[in-house]
Amino acid sequence: GSEVALRDGKDPEAARRALATVRDVAARMGRSVAMLLELARLEMGAVRVERAPVDLGALLAELLRAHEPTAVARELRVLNTVATPAIVNGDREVLRIVASNLLGNALHYATPASAVSCRLEREGERWRLVVENRTDELEPADLSSLAQPFWRKDRARSDRDRTGLGLALSRALAEVSGCALAFELAGESGKTFR
C-alpha cells in the first residue's frame, strides 16, 4: 500500500486509497499488539485488579451507545434490561473490556435482523451478566474454542477487522478478577448463544 502511494504520484486518488489501506492495517495491527501485550501481562501476573462499586447499568448503556452503528447497520434490535443503577463490585476497566467484547461480538456475529439482549441475573451473592444473540453459525463443538486466541469459525470468511483475541483477553481478565466467562447454546433450536 505505502509503496503504491509513494510510487504513483500522478494519481492522487490511488495514493489516497493506498494510504487509507495502510492506516487500516496499522490500526488492526495496533489493536492486536495491544491485546497480545495485555494477555502476556496477565499470564505473568503483572495486572493489578481493583475492586470498587461500579454501576454496571450505566457502563452497559455507554457501551451500547458506542456499538450502536453496528446494531443499526445489521438491523439488530437491542434489548437491554439492566437497570441504572446496577451496582456491582469489580474493576471498572476489566468490566468495560469484558462487557465491550461480549457486546461487540454479539452485535457483529448475531444473525442479521435479529435481537441482542443484555440482562443481569442474581445467583446468591453474585451477579451474572447474560449477553444473548441468535446465531446460525455456531455448533456445540465450537464453544470450547471460542476463547482460544485467533480462533475463527471459518477462517476463509473472517472479518479482517476482528483480531480473534477479544474473547481470549476477556476470559483471562475475568479469571484474574475472580469471575468466570462461560458460553452456551440454548433455546429450542439450540441457536441462542449466551
Side-chain angles (χ1 to χ4, degrees), residues 18-35:
L19 289 173
T21 299
V22 169
R23 180 201 59 214
D24 293 347
V25 169
R28 283 195 303 272
M29 289 176 66
R31 287 192 301 270
S32 295
V33 168
M35 284 196 207

Side-chain angles (χ1 to χ4, degrees), residues 149-170:
F150 304 113
W151 184 83
R152 303 282 178 86
K153 170 73 177 177
D154 183 348
R155 292 185 184 277
R157 295 186 327 152
S158 292
D159 184 337
R160 295 175 62 193
D161 289 332
R162 313 295 289 183
T163 64
L165 292 169
L167 291 179
L169 176 59
S170 293

Side-chain angles (χ1 to χ4, degrees), residues 135-148:
T135 180
D136 296 318
E137 301 289 324
L138 292 176
E139 301 297 330
D142 298 329
L143 298 179
S144 62
S145 301
L146 284 175
Q148 296 299 315

Side-chain angles (χ1 to χ4, degrees), residues 7-187:
R7 182 177 60 232
D8 197 358
K10 294 178 183 174
D11 186 351
E13 183 57 27
R16 189 194 67 70
R17 285 193 308 271
L19 289 173
T21 299
V22 169
R23 180 201 59 214
D24 293 347
V25 169
R28 283 195 303 272
M29 289 176 66
R31 287 192 301 270
S32 295
V33 168
M35 284 196 207
L36 285 169
L37 288 172
E38 191 65 19
L39 281 168
R41 290 179 64 230
L42 284 164
E43 287 178 5
M44 293 178 353
V47 173
R48 273 191 69 208
V49 176
E50 304 289 331
R51 287 207 165 275
V54 176
D55 185 348
L56 188 58
L59 179 63
L60 286 172
E62 171 190 322
L63 293 171
L64 284 168
R65 281 191 301 274
H67 287 290
E68 187 174 5
T70 302
V72 170
R74 303 197 69 239
E75 300 178 4
L76 297 169
R77 295 179 317 283
V78 178
L79 311 168
N80 179 18
T81 61
V82 179
T84 300
I87 306 300
V88 298
N89 276 325
D91 185 297
R92 180 169 172 46
E93 186 61 13
V94 167
L95 289 171
R96 185 190 65 74
I97 291 169
V98 172
S100 183
N101 282 329
L102 294 176
L103 291 170
N105 279 355
L107 292 167
H108 187 83
Y109 293 112
T111 302
S114 64
V116 172
S117 68
C118 309
R119 68 181 178 274
L120 273 180
E121 297 175 350
R122 186 80 173 183
E123 281 190 348
E125 296 298 311
R126 299 179 67 104
W127 287 102
R128 177 190 307 180
L129 172 63
V130 178
V131 178
E132 192 172 81
N133 63 278
R134 173 156 178 92
T135 180
D136 296 318
E137 301 289 324
L138 292 176
E139 301 297 330
D142 298 329
L143 298 179
S144 62
S145 301
L146 284 175
Q148 296 299 315
F150 304 113
W151 184 83
R152 303 282 178 86
K153 170 73 177 177
D154 183 348
R155 292 185 184 277
R157 295 186 327 152
S158 292
D159 184 337
R160 295 175 62 193
D161 289 332
R162 313 295 289 183
T163 64
L165 292 169
L167 291 179
L169 176 59
S170 293
R171 174 164 278 169
L173 282 169
E175 288 174 359
V176 79
S177 64
C179 300
L181 190 60
F183 309 107
E184 68 176 346
L185 287 170

